[in-house]
Amino acid sequence: MTQAGVYGQRLGRGLHVKEAPVLITRSLRSAEVAVTEVRNDKPTPELSGSLPAEDAYLVSLKLRDYPACECWEEGRYVTREDIRAGATYLYDLKRDPRYVIDKPFHSLFFYLPRPALHDMARRPGAPRIGELSYEPGVGHDDGVIRHIGASLQEALRRPDETNQLFIDHMMLALTAHVAQTYGGLKPVAEPSRGGLAPWQVKRACDRLDSDLSGKVALEQIATELGLSVSHFSRAFRISTGLPPHQWLLRQRVKAATQLMTVRNLPLSEIAISAGFANQSHFTRVFTQMVGVSPGAWRRETHGGPDA
């Protein structure tokens, strides 16, 4: 299948990097949203490649200082600015954004096509989002994007241990934040109540429980309930006290504790059966949530083996 958006290897080629780890969500009904990590510690000095022109934006979180960055748009020099680690920069793919690569760099790039931004405005009376507000080469001190970026960096390092619900949740938050902060979308006032109906809670929980690996997407569950992704995520949290990806982690740990009552079942098998990627992933999550390692919990509770 041909990749449509400017993310992953397609973005990596433009920035002259061989490795471009990517996470993709399809929770937004109109388009894919993705985050790509790009890094080059020993670049060959040259102008970055021209990226495919699209009605889309790249929102970049810089993870390393880049002094005197020379920025270009539409084939013309625009500005030279000092880029600071932790700052957020916006690029309009309709304008052929490029820059001179002559120093080591490390960044996250969020790919946001316009249909994904319009999805955020799908409510009565909400205007369509116009052009995002930014100046070429001018960074923003954006704590929300720093937080989301830090969370997704961990997921990019361990993609096999990251469930799709978590990716969907973080990308939805990122898209909504960009639409509000740079696109002028006014946030919807949170209702004092508004959780799911009891039958919806049961169906959603049953759906999540049926696949502890977390491969089911938020959009899939929301569609089955006749809801938008953002409405479902908010209402699920009101009803259960947890966002879907955290609720699923709790169910994995619950399943694992039940399996650990089987005296001779190895922890490696328990990990896979409970939806974890491997034993180390199981140990890390279980220890964070319970306070002790799975082996210690089983010894203290049932006197079972360590592995």
Side-chain angles (χ1 to χ4, degrees):
M1 182 181 294
T2 302
Q3 177 185 311
V6 181
Y7 54 80
Q9 290 302 319
R10 198 175 191 190
L11 175 62
R13 284 193 297 271
L15 299 178
H16 310 305
V17 297
K18 294 180 180 179
E19 301 291 332
V22 63
L23 299 171
I24 304 167
T25 181
R26 294 174 178 83
S27 281
L28 296 160
R29 298 179 184 182
S30 302
E32 293 180 340
V33 177
V35 58
T36 305
E37 184 172 11
V38 292
R39 178 173 185 165
N40 192 338
D41 295 326
K42 296 181 179 179
T44 301
E46 58 187 322
L47 187 65
S48 64
S50 185
L51 299 172
E54 289 188 27
D55 193 6
Y57 292 89
L58 292 176
V59 178
S60 181
L61 173 63
K62 305 304 180 183
L63 304 175
R64 182 173 185 163
D65 288 347
Y66 196 97
C69 179
E70 186 176 309
C71 303
W72 291 59
E73 279 195 349
E74 299 176 322
R76 297 189 297 273
Y77 166 81
V78 176
T79 185
R80 181 183 284 109
E81 302 287 345
D82 290 336
I83 287 178
R84 300 299 181 193
T88 293
Y89 290 77
L90 277 68
Y91 305 94
D92 187 341
L93 286 171
K94 298 191 302 297
R95 300 185 186 180
D96 187 23
R98 304 171 78 178
Y99 68 94
V100 175
I101 298 174
D102 57 357
K103 290 173 282 290
F105 62 89
H106 187 194
S107 303
L108 295 182
F109 282 89
F110 295 92
Y111 168 74
L112 288 179
R114 185 171 298 280
L117 293 168
H118 286 328
D119 276 344
M120 295 293 103
R122 285 184 177 173
R123 64 179 191 270
R128 289 172 68 83
I129 296 172
E131 301 296 324
L132 297 186
S133 176
Y134 81 100
E135 293 181 44
V138 176
H140 302 269
D141 181 16
D142 194 320
V144 172
I145 291 182
R146 278 197 299 274
H147 170 73
I148 293 173
S151 299
L152 289 171
Q153 255 194 290
E154 187 67 22
L156 284 159
R157 292 191 191 103
R158 296 189 176 102
D160 293 340
E161 299 180 9
T162 303
N163 71 66
Q164 188 62 43
L165 292 171
F166 171 74
I167 300 170
D168 294 349
H169 177 81
M170 299 306 292
M171 293 297 207
L172 181 67
L174 182 282
T175 306
H177 173 72
V178 170
Q180 292 170 11
T181 304
Y182 306 102
L185 180 68
K186 297 190 181 304
V188 178
E190 292 288 341
S192 57
R193 56 187 177 85
L196 299 171
W199 71 268
Q200 291 175 316
V201 175
K202 183 179 186 307
R203 184 175 295 183
C205 290
D206 287 347
R207 193 73 174 83
L208 292 170
D209 245 343
S210 70
D211 183 5
L212 290 177
S213 66
K215 293 179 182 178
V216 63
L218 281 182
E219 194 268 341
Q220 194 173 343
I221 302 174
T223 298
E224 291 176 10
L225 299 179
L227 304 173
S228 69
V229 175
S230 56
H231 183 182
F232 168 68
S233 297
R234 182 173 61 250
F236 185 91
R237 185 167 192 163
I238 291 171
S239 294
T240 68
L242 293 169
H245 69 278
Q246 291 184 2
W247 187 93
L248 182 67
L249 278 182
R250 188 181 66 180
Q251 292 305 105
R252 286 179 179 175
V253 170
K254 181 180 177 181
T257 57
Q258 292 172 342
L259 289 168
M260 280 192 288
T261 63
V262 180
R263 182 176 297 274
N264 296 318
L265 194 61
L267 292 180
S268 58
E269 291 185 22
I270 291 172
I272 300 302
S273 297
F276 294 96
N278 48 50
Q279 185 174 338
S280 63
H281 180 212
F282 168 43
T283 299
R284 184 164 55 254
V285 173
F286 189 94
T287 303
Q288 289 172 348
M289 296 186 71
V290 180
V292 296
S293 71
W297 183 91
R298 183 153 68 171
R299 285 195 304 273
E300 293 169 6
T301 307
H302 300 286
D306 292 341

